[in-house]
Amino acid sequence: MSKIKILFGLMKAPFLALTPACVAVGVGTAYWQTHEINWLSIVLITMGAVSAHICVNAFNEYFDFRSGLDSKTQRTPFSGGSGALPSHPEMEKTAFYLSWITFAVTAVIGFYFVWLHGWLLLPLGLFGLFLLVAYTTWVVYHPILCLLAPGLGFGVMMVMGTNFCLTGTYSWTSFVASLMPTFLVSNLLLLNQFPDVEADQSIQRRHLPITIGRKRCSIIYGVFLLLAYTSVVVGVIIKLLPLFCLIALLTSVLAWRVYRGTRQNAENIPVLIPFMGINVVINLISPLLLAIGLFIG
């Protein structure tokens, strides 16, 4: 039982709920396009997406432990790793194997859909596989890439990839719908980096809270929130999204609260932590509301 608990720690299991929420948006765009539900494909897509999420989490746990970062980080409920490997260093190889096993599961499922629908899915899939390995080993040392990569992975790539796997085509609707989770998930990782600035800086990481400071990053956080909600409104206005997608704007009330809290407490991490929690809620509920809007529409 203890080893299972550690394994869940390596997976960062509580955070995996974000994946089906983002996949749901892609399923919604496909349903709005075809009015059909293929449950087997949806299950396979979700398995591949969750495997990808576990893969990047396990790589993150493994490389943070190897670099010594875990010993320098003050963990919060939303940052600083799970603490699984510092408490159980004998599980280091397990984390490594878990990373590559889930990488392989993701790749196999991805190539199945390439075989099913054609090579147009291949560039998206290969870039996604590259990000799984490169995020912790390379991306986190490049500030702009570190900001954009999480959103691209969970937004544009996951939503449009899901839509393609279900329809065999890309669509402007899936692109516009992907923008909300793209900006929100980039914001999620951005805000979660605030407590780790000093520790990350000690191993030469270079994300934006390190390079430009937390205060300026709180402005970027606000801009990305605005872009996330604006993308839904514009999508409805140009008729690429149904009117009911506007229910996703309901979380903007929470988003405004988090933005104000972040601006006022960017340097006060203990006070900032509850706002980080609300930010997680925004990331889970907003894509689900958007998906519901697509199904109703």
Side-chain angles (χ1 to χ4, degrees):
M1 185 62 70
S2 177
K3 285 190 176 181
I4 293 174
K5 187 176 180 181
I6 297 167
L7 200 61
F8 282 154
L10 297 175
M11 295 178 183
K12 297 183 181 176
F15 299 98
L16 298 180
L18 177 63
T19 302
C22 293
V23 167
V25 178
V27 175
T29 62
Y31 181 74
W32 197 57
Q33 183 177 333
T34 65
H35 306 292
E36 295 176 357
I37 293 286
N38 185 328
W39 289 109
L40 176 59
S41 290
I42 291 170
V43 169
L44 286 174
I45 292 164
T46 305
M47 285 176 56
V50 171
S51 290
H53 195 172
I54 293 172
C55 174
V56 76
N57 285 349
F59 269 130
N60 186 257
E61 291 282 304
Y62 175 77
F63 285 113
D64 284 358
F65 178 71
R66 295 276 293 179
S67 69
L69 179 62
D70 280 344
S71 63
K72 303 174 182 179
T73 302
Q74 294 295 317
R75 281 186 292 278
T76 76
F78 312 104
S79 64
S82 69
L85 288 182
S87 302
H88 301 275
E90 73 279 4
M91 297 291 285
E92 179 184 346
K93 286 186 178 179
T94 302
F96 182 76
Y97 294 144
L98 177 64
S99 305
W100 285 110
I101 290 169
T102 49
F103 180 92
V105 170
T106 302
V108 168
I109 292 174
F111 281 115
Y112 164 74
F113 283 106
V114 170
W115 171 80
L116 192 66
H117 291 301
W119 67 271
L120 286 175
L121 181 63
L122 191 59
L124 193 74
L126 291 177
F127 184 63
L129 291 174
F130 166 75
L131 277 183
L132 296 183
V133 180
Y135 182 76
T136 303
T137 58
W138 182 65
V139 170
V140 293
Y141 299 95
H142 298 80
I144 301 301
L145 289 178
C146 192
L147 173 68
L148 298 179
L152 289 175
F154 283 90
V156 171
M157 297 180 66
M158 196 169 288
V159 173
M160 295 190 71
T162 297
N163 184 89
F164 189 95
C165 289
L166 292 172
T167 67
T169 62
Y170 294 112
S171 71
W172 283 109
T173 290
S174 66
F175 173 71
V176 173
S178 76
L179 294 179
M180 177 176 241
T182 293
F183 290 118
L184 289 182
V185 175
S186 280
N187 258 356
L188 177 66
L189 272 293
L190 176 66
L191 194 56
N192 287 356
Q193 287 163 349
F194 278 35
D196 297 337
V197 166
E198 289 76 18
D200 286 346
Q201 195 169 20
S202 71
I203 63 163
Q204 284 77 53
R205 282 188 175 177
R206 294 187 67 249
H207 48 64
L208 281 183
I210 289 174
T211 56
I212 66 173
R214 297 183 183 101
K215 266 293 186 189
R216 289 177 179 171
C217 282
S218 68
I219 299 173
I220 294 174
Y221 177 85
V223 170
F224 271 34
L225 282 179
L226 183 62
L227 291 172
Y229 292 105
T230 301
S231 69
V232 177
V233 175
V234 172
V236 170
I237 290 173
I238 63 178
K239 300 188 184 304
L240 285 174
L241 298 177
L243 181 64
F244 287 102
C245 284
L246 292 178
I247 63 173
L249 303 185
L250 290 174
T251 58
S252 61
V253 178
L254 291 175
W256 173 248
R257 182 181 172 190
V258 176
Y259 169 66
R260 289 186 62 190
T262 302
R263 287 287 292 151
Q264 294 167 2
N265 303 285
E267 302 293 343
N268 190 341
I269 302 304
V271 176
L272 190 62
I273 288 174
F275 295 105
M276 294 169 67
I278 300 172
N279 193 41
V280 172
V281 173
I282 292 167
N283 270 266
L284 294 175
I285 295 178
S286 300
L288 289 176
L289 289 175
L290 185 60
I292 290 170
L294 285 158
F295 277 103
I296 296 174

